[in-house]
């Protein structure tokens, strides 16, 4: 059986990303490990409370030798433009989640709106990643 | 700590166009959100996203208008206002230039709204935005 365990987002600053996803979005840190023997590589994962088996990996855009600097610049540029990745989050009450996150300082780029498939909204993380927050309609 | 990539500021401007196209948002508003002078902003926006901010804003509005034509029974005049455009004449002209037919003919050519029902709105918005064609009103003025 194959299950989904983690999905990765590039971030430009892991500490800022950690604060955003925990303090503003309300997620928990699943793993935060720094490895000095690997050039202080930091494995940072977060996820929603109560969903321990699925994480978002908040990955710092590396430099050489992992990634040549030209490629790193391209990834940074793509991330800043919002084209580097999207996470689709689900909620059982989009309006309530919108109010809760807004009160904590999350800036929504799309306020909750009725769609044929549910109530949908969106915000961006500090790096520009596109995060959707959807109350999916139960089609039975 | 790493600094925010420059493109992130341009994305704020594009997000403004996507979020508030139905208001009287202008290129000057977009430049302000990006924190750049208008001329510099237009140049940088085009470099980042391939369209001038004027063209992006207009195609976003036309894409929304097309969506409303496909999925609602609102009148063409109402839809023009709904997407933040003031002149129905220039709306019809721009729409016909972009989609190759008038708003009314466009509406008649499409299947019922239910066809699109389960595809996320963000996907429809991104993929249905028309490819920009050179407009008389675009590209001539360096600030636009």
């Amino acid at each position: 059986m194959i299950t989904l365990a983690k999905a990765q987002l590039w971030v430009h600053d892991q500490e800022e990303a950690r604060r955003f996803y925990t303090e503003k979005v309300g997620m928990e840190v699943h793993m935060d490990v720094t490895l000095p023997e690997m050039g202080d590589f930091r494995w940072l994962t977060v996820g929603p409370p109560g969903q321990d088996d699925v994480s978002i990996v908040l990955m710092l855009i590396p430099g050489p030798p992992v990634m040549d600097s030209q490629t790193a610049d391209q990834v940074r540029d793509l991330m800043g433009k919002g084209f580097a990745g999207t996470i689709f989050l689900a909620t059982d009450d989009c309006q309530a989640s919108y109010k809760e996150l807004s009160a904590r300082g999350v800036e929504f780029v799309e306020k909750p709106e009725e769609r044929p498939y549910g109530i949908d909204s969106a915000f961006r993380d500090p790096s520009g990643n596109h995060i959707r927050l959807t109350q999916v309609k139960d089609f039975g | 700590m790493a600094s925010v990539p420059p493109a992130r500021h341009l994305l704020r401007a594009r997000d403004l166009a996507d979020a508030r196209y139905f208001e009287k948002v202008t290129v000057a508003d977009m430049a302000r959100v990006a924190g750049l002078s208008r001329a510099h902003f237009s140049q940088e926006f085009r470099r980042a996203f391939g369209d001038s901010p004027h063209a992006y804003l207009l195609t976003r509005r036309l894409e929304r208008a097309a969506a409303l034509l496909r999925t609602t029974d609102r009148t063409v005049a109402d839809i023009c206002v709904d997407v933040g455009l003031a002149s129905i004449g220039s709306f019809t002209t721009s729409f016909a230039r972009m989609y190759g037919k008038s708003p009314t003919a466009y509406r008649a050519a499409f299947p019922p709204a239910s066809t699109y029902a389960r595809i996320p709105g963000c996907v429809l918005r991104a993929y249905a935005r028309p490819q920009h064609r050179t407009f008389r009103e675009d590209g001539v003025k360096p600030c636009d």
Side-chain angles (χ1 to χ4, degrees), chain A residues 12-13 15 76-77 79-83 88 107 109-110 115-117 120 124-128 130 132 139, chain B residues 1-5 7-9 11-12 14-15 18-19 47-49 64 116-123 125:
Chain A
H12 75 279
D13 182 328
E15 194 48 36
R76 203 169 288 114
D77 194 43
M79 179 194 70
K81 289 180 193 175
F83 289 133
F88 294 79
E107 290 179 26
V109 294
E110 290 173 47
R115 306 279 179 206
Y117 52 84
D120 204 5
R124 291 196 188 279
D125 77 3
S127 292
H130 181 192
R132 298 207 70 83
F139 286 97
Chain B
M1 289 292 120
S3 59
V4 176
R8 181 74 182 90
H9 301 293
L11 182 59
R12 284 185 212 287
R14 210 191 61 178
D15 283 342
D18 287 339
R47 202 197 310 269
F49 298 116
R64 287 289 82 197
Y116 303 95
R118 296 200 192 180
I119 302 172
C122 61
V123 173
R125 263 198 314 285

Side-chain angles (χ1 to χ4, degrees), chain A residues 58-84:
Chain A
L58 301 173
M59 186 73 86
L60 189 67
I61 298 169
V66 179
M67 189 183 279
D68 65 274
S69 53
Q70 189 187 356
T71 305
D73 284 344
Q74 289 171 332
V75 172
R76 203 169 288 114
D77 194 43
L78 285 174
M79 179 194 70
K81 289 180 193 175
F83 289 133

Side-chain angles (χ1 to χ4, degrees), chain A:
Chain A
M1 183 178 69
I2 295 174
T3 58
L4 178 63
K6 295 173 181 63
Q8 178 197 286
L9 283 180
W10 295 116
V11 298
H12 75 279
D13 182 328
Q14 285 178 305
E15 194 48 36
E16 187 179 11
R18 188 190 62 79
R19 286 200 307 273
F20 179 81
Y21 282 98
T22 57
E23 295 170 13
K24 295 194 173 180
V25 183
M27 291 190 180
E28 294 172 343
V29 172
H30 285 175
M31 282 192 78
D32 189 354
V33 180
T34 301
L35 303 170
E37 67 276 22
M38 286 172 56
D40 282 340
F41 170 78
R42 184 177 179 187
W43 177 249
L44 173 62
T45 71
V46 297
Q51 199 175 21
D52 298 340
D53 57 342
V54 181
S55 305
I56 302 169
V57 182
L58 301 173
M59 186 73 86
L60 189 67
I61 298 169
V66 179
M67 189 183 279
D68 65 274
S69 53
Q70 189 187 356
T71 305
D73 284 344
Q74 289 171 332
V75 172
R76 203 169 288 114
D77 194 43
L78 285 174
M79 179 194 70
K81 289 180 193 175
F83 289 133
T86 300
I87 295 285
F88 294 79
L89 300 175
T91 170
D92 54 4
D93 187 338
C94 194
Q95 281 292 348
S97 298
Y98 164 72
K99 282 182 190 159
E100 190 181 340
L101 269 57
S102 295
R104 294 195 207 119
V106 174
E107 290 179 26
F108 278 74
V109 294
E110 290 173 47
K111 293 177 182 175
E113 277 185 46
E114 289 274 357
R115 306 279 179 206
Y117 52 84
I119 302 171
D120 204 5
S121 66
F123 58 89
R124 291 196 188 279
D125 77 3
S127 292
N129 294 305
H130 181 192
I131 314 295
R132 298 207 70 83
L133 181 60
T134 311
Q135 181 180 341
V136 181
K137 189 182 282 184
D138 183 5
F139 286 97

